Amino acid sequence: LLILIKRAIEINKLLEENNFLKQKSTQLELIGDSKSINHIRSAIQAAAPTNSRVLITGEAGTGKATVASIIHYLSKHSNLPFITWHTSN
């Protein structure tokens, strides 16, 4: 019985840690205070509350997926799945 109780406590701790890590991983932010970053933040704030589709372009590694995730997180549809569309050139 003691072993079962210990395991139940361990499982509960693992579930809490898992939920904490999931929440932490969805906290996205753009780092920096340059004119360009501030312009992107403004564009995100303008696009997020709309029902419009958004096309995000740029070189590989520039943060397009991060911007898309932030727009989704701030949108009215944040409770729905986040779906990405990748094209190959």
Side-chain angles (χ1 to χ4, degrees):
L1 183 59
L2 289 175
I3 292 173
L4 289 174
I5 292 171
K6 285 181 182 179
R7 286 194 179 163
I9 291 170
E10 289 174 6
I11 290 171
N12 188 45
K13 285 181 183 178
L14 289 173
L15 290 172
E16 286 177 2
E17 182 180 2
N18 189 18
N19 286 333
F20 171 77
L21 291 173
K22 281 182 183 178
Q23 288 176 351
K24 188 176 179 181
S25 71
T26 60
Q27 295 173 352
L28 300 169
E29 66 177 306
L30 295 178
I31 298 172
D33 198 31
S34 69
K35 195 175 197 178
S36 297
I37 290 293
N38 289 332
H39 179 71
I40 292 169
R41 282 191 188 102
S42 295
I44 289 170
Q45 293 296 325
T50 70
N51 283 326
S52 300
R53 290 177 177 86
V54 177
L55 175 63
I56 302 168
T57 62
E59 297 295 322
T62 56
K64 297 179 298 292
T66 300
V67 169
S69 296
I70 294 170
I71 291 171
H72 176 74
Y73 178 75
L74 296 175
S75 77
K76 300 176 216 174
H77 307 289
S78 61
N79 59 326
L80 299 173
F82 176 58
I83 301 169
T84 59
W85 181 270
H86 299 276
T87 60
S88 56
N89 296 345

